[in-house]
Amino acid sequence: MRGKISYQDMLARLEQVVIQNNLKRSKQREDILFVMYETHGHLSPEEILNLARELSPGLGIATVYRTLGLLEKEGLLDSIAFGGDGSKKYELNCGEHHDHLICVECKKIVEFYDDNIEKTQEEIAISHHFLLKNHSMKLYGICETCQK
Amino acid sequence: MRGKISYQDMLARLEQVVIQNNLKRSKQREDILFVMYETHGHLSPEEILNLARELSPGLGIATVYRTLGLLEKEGLLDSIAFGGDGSKKYELNCGEHHDHLICVECKKIVEFYDDNIEKTQEEIAISHHFLLKNHSMKLYGICETCQK
DNA sequence: GTAGTTGCAAAGGGTTTGCAGAGGG
DNA sequence: CCCTCTGCAAACCCTTTGCAACTAC
């Protein structure tokens, strides 16, 4: 989900990552980040490759995977694993947590946030003596359009 | 999770599947189901292979995948997909839904059920005009043992 | 210049499929 | 007997890795 954050802010976050890790700011990294910013997320590595190739012709899939791994580790992106096939999709992390509703017919993904669920999760973790790090919640169903 | 259901009941469900689909009741299928019943679930296909080979020496991994696919489709088993690697684990479906807490250190899986979360999920689906079919919720954290 | 970065191609891990022989009903 | 099931091996898909050329700084 792209929130209020601007592309300039995302570039600044990339700059931070680059500086803090002694990395370099390559066109490929910027272009992949741009694709993630421009589209409203939920893209597979291959979709990202195809979109980013419009900006960086000749871009390789290995670079996409390496960049997605870096940006996820550094918190600029989030990945969502899907049920069956084990493949992942990526979306921009703009600082606001949310969960996903997924249409099993058309594969559309809708984001939502629910305070009640967030609180309850924390309580469940505590009652099982777990130190909660992360969570993922996916609701699978049929969207309004596909019900017709 | 193995609930109140008996192995005899599971065998009867297998019998149903076999009859309704014009299949045959092989030793391999029974042995795989037995492994899923005996262990308290959350096994990878390879773990299932190793355990089932004690009963059916020479069992092949392809048969394990085929059987797991069949038993999941017919509702005797559930699969849980894990975050990163895209691999799946299987557990017995004894009719009671539950969600999972996963320790990111030792990979232990703890099951829980929360009525509040179940209800809230239904409300969220309705408010987005989704017809809810299924859901998956995973809480990742560090378990009591690994916190020490 | 000297790292870090890239694209390619090969390797990897998990899963699926084609096939000939074995085995239920 | 017929049709399904099995084990093997090859094929597959997605992802990762090794490497020489390349690029940012």
Side-chain angles (χ1 to χ4, degrees), chain A residues 34-88:
Chain A
F34 181 76
V35 163
M36 297 310 297
Y37 181 80
E38 268 304 298
T39 65
H40 287 224
H42 308 130
L43 299 176
S44 68
E46 200 157 327
E47 289 167 333
I48 295 167
L49 174 69
N50 290 331
L51 290 169
R53 270 189 173 158
E54 295 174 12
L55 305 166
S56 286
L59 177 66
I61 188 72
T63 299
V64 173
Y65 278 105
R66 285 187 280 233
T67 302
L68 293 176
L70 171 68
L71 297 182
E72 181 179 13
K73 179 168 69 68
E74 296 295 333
L76 278 73
L77 300 181
D78 284 327
S79 67
I80 327 167
F82 284 88
D85 50 350
S87 63
K88 280 195 211 173

Side-chain angles (χ1 to χ4, degrees), chain B residues 24-114:
Chain B
K24 291 172 182 174
R25 189 163 155 177
S26 68
K27 177 167 186 347
Q28 289 89 336
R29 285 180 181 154
E30 282 181 16
D31 287 346
I32 290 170
L33 184 59
F34 181 76
V35 163
M36 298 309 297
Y37 181 80
E38 268 304 298
T39 65
H40 287 223
H42 308 129
L43 300 176
S44 67
E46 200 156 327
E47 288 167 334
I48 295 167
L49 174 68
N50 291 331
L51 290 169
R53 270 190 173 157
E54 296 175 11
L55 305 167
S56 287
L59 177 66
I61 188 72
T63 299
V64 173
Y65 278 106
R66 284 186 281 232
T67 302
L68 293 175
L70 172 67
L71 296 182
E72 182 180 13
K73 178 167 70 68
E74 296 295 332
L76 277 73
L77 300 180
D78 284 328
S79 68
I80 327 167
F82 285 87
D85 50 350
S87 64
K88 281 195 210 174
K89 287 190 193 296
Y90 288 82
E91 63 178 349
L92 206 67
N93 174 353
C94 51
E96 307 166 324
H97 173 76
H98 57 258
D99 293 303
H100 296 97
L101 266 159
I102 300 160
C103 176
V104 296
E105 296 285 336
C106 66
K107 313 299 177 198
K108 180 170 54 189
I109 300 174
V110 177
E111 302 174 345
F112 69 88
Y113 173 84
D114 188 278

Side-chain angles (χ1 to χ4, degrees), chain A residues 21-33:
Chain A
N21 299 55
N22 270 12
L23 304 178
K24 289 170 182 175
R25 188 165 155 176
S26 69
K27 177 166 187 345
Q28 289 89 335
R29 285 178 181 155
E30 282 182 15
D31 287 345
I32 289 170
L33 184 60

Side-chain angles (χ1 to χ4, degrees), chain B residues 125-139:
Chain B
I126 289 171
S127 74
H128 286 79
H129 309 288
F130 263 65
L131 188 60
L132 195 57
K133 289 286 179 189
N134 203 351
H135 71 262
S136 120
M137 172 156 154
K138 306 194 203 72
L139 305 184

